[in-house]
Structure formats: C-alpha cells, structure tokens
C-alpha cells in the first residue's frame, strides 16, 4: 500500500467571527480559494498532478453550499480538470478531509490530493444548516440531546474540573498562543488573506486575548446556566447520568473556543506523486480513524478515538511526542490529559482554539499544520491530532516527520 506524505500545509489567520471582524467582507469562496492558491503557488505545483480537492465545511448553506470545494478549486486557478468534494463531520471536517485525501493516496487510486476546510462564521452563522439531531424528537430524546456547552459543563462536573481549573487552562492557552506568534512559530504555515488588489487584509490571528488572567476571567458569568436550568437540559444530563446530583456550570466565552473565520489546505501525495512534482515530503500520515462516542456527554470522543487509533497503529501513548487536541471547551482537553495522565506541556504547546478560535470546518486541517511546524521546530518525530465532534464522535490522526 502506498504511503501518504504531507508535502505542504497552509492556513489563513483566523479573523473574529463578527461583523467587525477583519475577514467579514471576505466570502467563503475567497477564503478557501486563497488557501488552495497558496498551496499551488508555494510549490509551483503543476495542477494536472492534483487528483482531487476535499474540503470540510459545517454550515453548508448559502455561499458555503453547493460543493464549495469545486468552486474554490476553480476560483484558485487549479484548472477545470481538478474536481472537488465537500464533506461535513462537524468540528472534525477539516481533519477528515485530510484523512480522506490520504486514503485516496494510500489506496493507490490517486497520486496527489488536497485536503482542508473552510468556515466563514461571521457570514454564515453557526447552526444555519439546521438538522434533525437537535429538533426531531425521534432522535433528540433517545440521544439525550443537549447543547454542547451543557455537555462541556457535564464533563467538568463528572470528572471534577472546577471553575478555577478551566479558567487556568484558558489563561495558559492565551499565553502559549501569544508566545507562539512572538516567536514566529507559525511562519511556515500562515498565509495572509489579501483583497483583489493584493493588499493584505489580515496576516495574524485576531481573536487572541493575551492579557487574559484569572481575575478577568472570574468576572465572566457562566454562559450555559440559563439553557441548562431554565431550558431543561440540566435535567436531561442528570437523567442520562443519574450519579450527577447537579451540573456545575463553569464554561463561558473566555474558556471556550472562539467563533472565527478561516481556511486551511494540506497537500497530500504518494512518493511517486511528490517525485513528479519535484517536492520533498515533510511528514507522512501514520494512521487515522474515527469513532462514535456517547452522544449526550458528546465531547469525550478524543479519548475514545485515541485509544482506538493507538491500538490500530500498534503504538502506545508514550510513542507520541506532542498532541493537538482541539480546545472546543477547556474541559475537553483537561479530560484528555486526565485520561492519559499526560504532561500538559506536550498538549497544545502553541495554544489552541480558546485563544485563536475554531473555524469549524477548517480547524482540523489547521491543527495538522500547527503540529507539523512544531515537530520541525523542536526536532521531534510524532504528533497526534484529534477533535471532539457534535453528536458524540471523535477523529484522530497520527503524523510522523520525515
């Protein structure tokens, strides 16, 4: 079976997902096309070598719908011969797009493909696509549906994380992200977003709050008390987990992932594909997998899928040098660290989505570039990237530097 190699990985900076965010006037198409164009231009890539483009996108309506991957490939100048497909596995869409591209290469059917993702959360609001899971009683009741924020608070309650614990984690994420930008750790992967005249619109993540401290976060009220207590979702959580007497609501905007705009792209190819393109691989895809997890608590999938993936790969947790665990909420990462008894320094060493934001369909591909850059910077070998997913799932990928 052919190996799948990473030849390049790029991402845009993350713009605040609000009307006053720097990327609000940039369409989903322009965001994604910019990342694809950077892949082409940086490698002087003959686009006839590209067999497919797979892009993750969660809210696939309006300008983000109707196969944004194909439209973006055309807009990026990859040529009419390059096809594209859009996928949605909620927050892991971008990582799964990279995994799908890798699978195409590993199967021998394609020699080179691009996996990535895009989300313009300021232009296409979170949840705009709708869906049966939250509103159709035939699935919502049996799955004990609750909003993700309540699920995050349930994790904190069940596994013993206090308000101070989640706030302290958030402060550390901000510090690490700020230090990473100061030390220029993202210079290989971040490509600026420019307007039609080539003028730079944004070249740096703008959601960060490096001045955040325990005192400023303590002033924020928990965000999910009303929907938990008055909306009835605390009762749903306790019905599913009767050992819990009451939900301790600890999450708020300062220790949860930021709403942002952004896009990412990862060039995957076989050894032969790289030879034809005149490129040297930076890493290889060692293994990847998905799993379903308990849908009410929902966000513990990274623990479950990591256990599955390590077993499949014949590896142990000690074989992984660093981890990128998406910071959907602070309790998600704290539970991951707790489950594997990890040194926190090995997990999200450059900061994460609490500081820099979580553009839903793009984040997984962004984490690939962050992990790869950090492996090269530190001279380490292996990284595991994983994300929690709505409705109770997990996706994980192991990459190895070459």
């Amino acid at each position: 079976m052919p190996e799948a190699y990473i030849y390049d990985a790029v991402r845009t900076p993350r713009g605040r997902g609000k009307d006053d965010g720097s990327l609000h006037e940039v369409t989903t198409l322009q965001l994604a096309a910019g990342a694809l164009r950077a892949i082409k231009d940086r490698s002087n890539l003959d686009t006839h070598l590209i067999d497919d483009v797979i892009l993750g996108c969660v809210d696939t309506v309006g300008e983000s719908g109707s196969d944004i991957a194909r439209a973006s490939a055309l807009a990026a100048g990859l040529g009419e011969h390059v096809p594209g497909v859009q996928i949605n596995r909620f927050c892991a869409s971008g990582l799964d797009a990279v995994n799908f591209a890798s699978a195409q290469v590993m199967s021998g059917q394609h020699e080179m493909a691009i996996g990535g993702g895009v989300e313009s959360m300021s232009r296409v609001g979170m949840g705009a696509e709708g869906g049966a899971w939250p509103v159709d009683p035939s699935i919502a009741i049996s799955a004990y549906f609750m909003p993700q924020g309540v699920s995050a608070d349930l994790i904190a309650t069940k596994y013993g994380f206090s308000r101070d614990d989640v706030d302290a984690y958030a402060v550390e994420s901000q510090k690490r992200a700020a230090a990473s930008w100061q030390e220029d750790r993202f210079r290989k992967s971040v490509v600026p977003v420019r307007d039609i005249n080539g003028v730079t619109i944004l070249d740096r993540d703008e959601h960060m709050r490096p001045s955040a401290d325990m005192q400023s976060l303590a002033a924020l009220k928990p965000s999910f008390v009303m929907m938990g207590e008055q909306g009835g979702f605390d009762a749903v959580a306790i019905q599913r987990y009767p050992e819990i007497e009451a939900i301790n609501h600890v999450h708020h905007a300062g220790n949860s992932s930021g709403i942002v705009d952004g896009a990412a792209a990862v060039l995957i190819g076989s050894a032969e594909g790289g030879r034809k393109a005149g490129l040297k691989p930076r890493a290889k895809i060692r293994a990847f997998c998905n799993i379903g997890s308990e849908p009410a608590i929902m966000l513990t999938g990274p623990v479950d899928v990591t256990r599955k993936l390590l077993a499949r790969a014949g590896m142990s947790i000690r074989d992984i040098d660093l981890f990128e665990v998406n910071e959907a909420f602070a309790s998600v990462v704290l539970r991951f660290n707790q489950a594997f008894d990890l040194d926190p320094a090995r997990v999200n060493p450059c900061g994460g989505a609490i500081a820099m934001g979580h553009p839903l369909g793009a984040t997984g591909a962004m984490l690939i570039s962050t992990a790869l850059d950090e492996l090269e910077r530190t001279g380490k070998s292996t990284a595991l990237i994983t994300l929690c997913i709505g409705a109770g799932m997990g996706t994980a990928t192991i990459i190895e530097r070459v």
Side-chain angles (χ1 to χ4, degrees):
M1 185 175 69
E3 298 272 19
Y5 293 96
I6 300 174
Y7 288 97
D8 201 6
V10 303
R11 72 167 178 92
T12 69
R14 300 164 172 101
R16 283 193 309 272
K18 297 181 179 180
D19 290 352
D20 62 351
S22 294
L23 300 182
H24 176 62
E25 299 300 324
V26 182
T27 66
T28 308
L29 175 65
Q30 292 168 326
L31 270 181
L36 295 177
R37 192 178 299 114
I39 285 285
K40 172 175 69 79
D41 292 347
R42 281 165 42 128
S43 301
N44 194 26
L45 186 63
D46 178 359
T47 62
H48 285 87
L49 298 174
I50 303 173
D51 294 305
D52 206 358
V53 172
I54 307 102
L55 291 184
C57 188
V58 175
D59 281 297
T60 52
V61 295
E63 68 180 49
S64 297
S66 298
D67 195 354
I68 194 66
R70 169 61 171 167
S72 300
L74 291 171
L78 300 189
E80 63 183 24
H81 54 280
V82 178
V85 63
Q86 175 177 287
I87 67 168
N88 180 7
R89 200 191 296 273
F90 297 143
C91 296
S93 298
L95 184 59
D96 245 346
V98 175
N99 293 343
F100 283 21
S102 302
Q104 290 177 338
V105 170
M106 290 173 170
S107 70
Q109 304 307 302
H110 290 167
E111 286 191 342
M112 192 157 280
I114 297 174
V118 63
E119 207 80 37
S120 179
M121 300 181 76
S122 71
R123 296 176 62 87
V124 182
M126 185 165 54
E129 191 177 48
W133 165 51
V135 298
D136 187 331
S138 67
I139 183 61
I141 293 173
S142 61
Y144 295 89
F145 168 79
M146 64 188 79
Q148 286 194 354
V150 178
S151 293
D153 287 337
L154 172 59
I155 291 172
T157 305
K158 181 174 174 62
Y159 293 103
F161 305 127
S162 67
R163 172 67 183 262
D164 281 352
D165 291 334
V166 293
D167 282 357
Y169 181 86
V171 170
E172 183 64 21
S173 179
Q174 295 284 358
K175 288 180 178 178
R176 292 183 182 188
S180 295
W181 273 104
Q182 290 167 2
E183 296 169 9
D184 215 14
R185 294 189 188 185
F186 303 129
R187 66 184 181 278
K188 285 187 178 180
S189 55
V190 173
V191 294
V193 178
R194 295 187 170 94
D195 66 14
I196 194 170
N197 298 311
V199 176
T200 297
I201 298 172
L202 186 67
D203 61 3
R204 183 181 179 88
D205 296 321
E206 69 173 348
H207 181 269
M208 297 187 300
R209 298 290 183 270
S211 62
D213 55 25
M214 293 295 287
Q215 290 72 32
S216 62
L217 293 188
L220 300 176
K221 294 182 179 179
S223 297
F224 308 106
V225 174
M226 183 173 293
M227 65 177 62
E229 295 180 356
Q230 298 179 24
F233 291 108
D234 282 4
V236 175
I238 293 168
Q239 185 180 23
R240 178 61 183 84
Y241 290 91
E243 70 273 21
I244 303 296
E245 293 184 0
I247 303 300
N248 183 21
H249 290 285
V250 296
H251 287 92
H252 49 74
N255 56 36
S256 306
S257 56
I259 294 173
V260 293
D261 306 331
V266 181
L267 181 62
I268 302 290
S270 64
E272 179 63 14
R275 185 192 66 77
K276 290 178 180 178
L279 300 175
K280 291 183 178 180
R282 296 172 63 188
K284 70 177 179 180
I285 303 292
R286 179 80 177 261
F288 55 85
C289 72
N290 300 288
I291 200 169
S293 59
E294 202 282 297
I297 206 166
M298 194 185 316
L299 307 175
T300 55
V303 174
D304 302 321
V305 76
T306 295
R307 287 172 175 154
K308 177 180 179 180
L309 182 58
L310 290 173
R312 287 274 181 90
M315 301 173 73
S316 78
I317 202 75
R318 294 182 299 276
D319 295 321
I320 307 299
D321 294 316
L322 68 89
F323 300 83
E324 285 293 329
V325 183
N326 187 39
E327 294 175 355
F329 299 90
S331 64
V332 172
V333 186
L334 291 175
R335 171 56 190 152
F336 188 88
N337 292 352
Q338 181 189 68
F340 296 107
D341 192 22
L342 291 173
D343 177 357
R346 296 169 61 196
V347 182
N348 302 343
C350 298
I354 290 173
M356 293 179 284
H358 174 24
L360 304 178
T363 303
M366 289 183 168
L367 295 184
I368 288 279
S369 69
T370 300
L372 178 56
D373 287 348
E374 190 65 5
L375 287 178
E376 292 176 341
R377 187 186 75 86
T378 60
K380 294 179 180 177
S381 178
T382 57
L384 187 148
I385 300 96
T386 185
L387 300 93
C388 59
I389 309 174
M393 293 183 283
T395 296
T397 304
I398 297 171
I399 67 171
E400 183 177 342
R401 188 169 63 90
V402 297

